[in-house]
Amino acid sequence: MSHPSRDLAGLTVKGSPEEHLVAQIDFERLPRHIAIIMDGNGRWARTRNLPRVAGHRAGIAAVRDVVEASARLGFQVLTLYAFSVENWKRPDTEIVALMGLLKHYLRLELKTLLRNNIRFHVIGQRDRLSPDIRDELQMAEARTRGNTGMIFNIALSYGGRAEIVDAARRAIREGCDPDTLDETTFASFLYTAGQPDPDLMIRTSGEMRVSNFLLWQIAYAEIWVTETLWPDFRRRHLLEAVVAYQKRDRRYGGIKPSPVALGAK
């Protein structure tokens, strides 16, 4: 995957917290792939004595801001966890409302995706989605397929365990020799085949769990949790996460050599 381009014009306002955060970022060490668990819509609505769907509706503004900011900053991949396989257990009225909001977002934001050279991609068990939703998703994927900028994955009817099982089934169907099957080959059967694994996983609303999200891919991801509820999440919070990420020492299970071992005086 080629090095992404970035367009910082209009990303910040002079003297704003966002401008201060952007100044701290090393653009040569950006996370290639950021994954976000968008949590807190229901809590946001409840604290305002509103129905849950109002929280989901408010969350669309956060999606819009984060997707555009991510593309402008130059991330290669952004994955948002929109609807899990467990979410099918929710009341039918809430599911219908969520799917309606999804269709509304795609129709409203397709021009923005095209303008920002974003390639839209769906990961998950899409056969469980209704035909009209599948058609809408396929249309957005087709319209943006020629874009060469950031890949925007939306995880719908998604579960990390289900993805691994689906990958194993595909490997078996394609006749992979179990004695020679390695991690690289197995990863080629995942929904995210060909994409870099997440370097940074963000979770909103303060919850400290991964919720069956990209279980294979986040093996070495840095995790950043904010108390901010998803409807209130904006590019400032995204920038805070990137700044925090760049201050960490990523060892991938190894041990950082001591100054003595490196021959330092």
Side-chain angles (χ1 to χ4, degrees):
M1 186 174 291
S2 61
H3 192 281
S5 60
R6 59 185 61 91
D7 174 15
L8 303 182
L11 188 66
T12 65
V13 175
K14 188 172 178 57
S16 66
E18 290 85 356
E19 183 184 50
H20 177 67
L21 288 164
V22 167
Q24 299 178 58
I25 292 175
D26 179 353
F27 284 94
E28 298 305 313
R29 297 192 303 112
L30 284 177
R32 295 174 302 166
H33 183 168
I34 292 184
I36 305 180
I37 300 175
M38 306 181 294
D39 194 18
N41 290 350
R43 197 181 315 170
W44 185 93
R46 188 166 60 251
T47 59
R48 290 162 175 77
N49 294 315
L50 297 170
R52 284 180 62 88
V53 69
H56 299 314
R57 189 177 296 112
I60 290 178
V63 172
R64 181 183 302 118
D65 195 56
V66 168
V67 170
E68 186 168 354
S70 296
R72 291 190 172 206
L73 286 164
F75 304 141
Q76 292 182 24
V77 185
L78 172 70
T79 301
L80 300 184
Y81 200 7
F83 191 84
S84 72
V85 291
E86 291 82 11
N87 288 157
W88 288 113
K89 301 173 185 177
R90 292 185 177 183
D92 290 345
T93 52
E94 184 176 354
I95 293 173
V96 169
L98 278 166
M99 295 303 164
L101 287 171
L102 173 63
K103 289 174 67 174
H104 176 72
Y105 170 83
L106 291 174
R107 292 174 179 177
L108 196 65
E109 296 300 315
L110 183 57
K111 289 183 179 178
T112 301
L113 298 179
L114 292 168
R115 185 175 65 249
N116 287 280
N117 197 27
I118 296 169
R119 180 150 50 104
F120 180 74
H121 181 59
V122 181
I123 62 173
Q125 297 181 331
R126 58 175 84 195
D127 59 322
R128 296 184 66 178
L129 301 168
S130 63
D132 63 315
I133 294 294
R134 291 202 301 270
D135 289 345
E136 203 79 34
L137 296 170
Q138 288 168 5
M139 184 272 294
E141 287 181 317
R143 289 284 304 277
T144 63
R145 188 166 292 128
N147 290 348
T148 58
M150 184 184 78
I151 297 172
F152 169 29
N153 294 321
I154 186 165
L156 281 171
S157 189
Y158 175 86
R161 289 181 172 179
E163 178 182 21
I164 292 170
V165 171
D166 284 348
R169 287 171 175 163
R170 282 195 290 273
I172 292 169
R173 283 198 302 269
E174 296 199 13
C176 282
D177 182 349
D179 293 328
T180 60
L181 181 63
D182 58 16
E183 292 183 11
T184 301
T185 303
F186 187 80
S188 71
F189 294 103
L190 296 171
Y191 302 146
T192 55
Q195 301 177 14
D197 288 340
D199 297 300
L200 172 63
M201 187 181 79
I202 297 170
R203 177 155 193 154
T204 60
S205 86
E207 299 295 337
M208 304 293 287
R209 57 182 181 271
V210 298
S211 295
N212 197 21
F213 184 42
L214 299 176
L215 296 181
W216 176 281
Q217 296 90 331
I218 63 169
Y220 288 104
E222 297 294 324
I223 299 175
W224 188 82
V225 177
T226 175
E227 294 291 332
T228 303
L229 304 179
W230 178 250
D232 296 323
F233 193 92
R234 291 295 183 273
R235 62 188 62 185
R236 174 174 63 83
H237 304 96
L238 179 68
L239 294 167
E240 288 174 351
V242 173
V243 169
Y245 162 84
Q246 291 190 335
K247 291 179 179 178
R248 298 186 185 180
D249 178 20
R250 303 188 74 198
R251 303 184 186 183
Y252 299 97
I255 299 174
K256 186 177 181 180
S258 67
V260 173
L262 291 173
K265 300 293 185 181

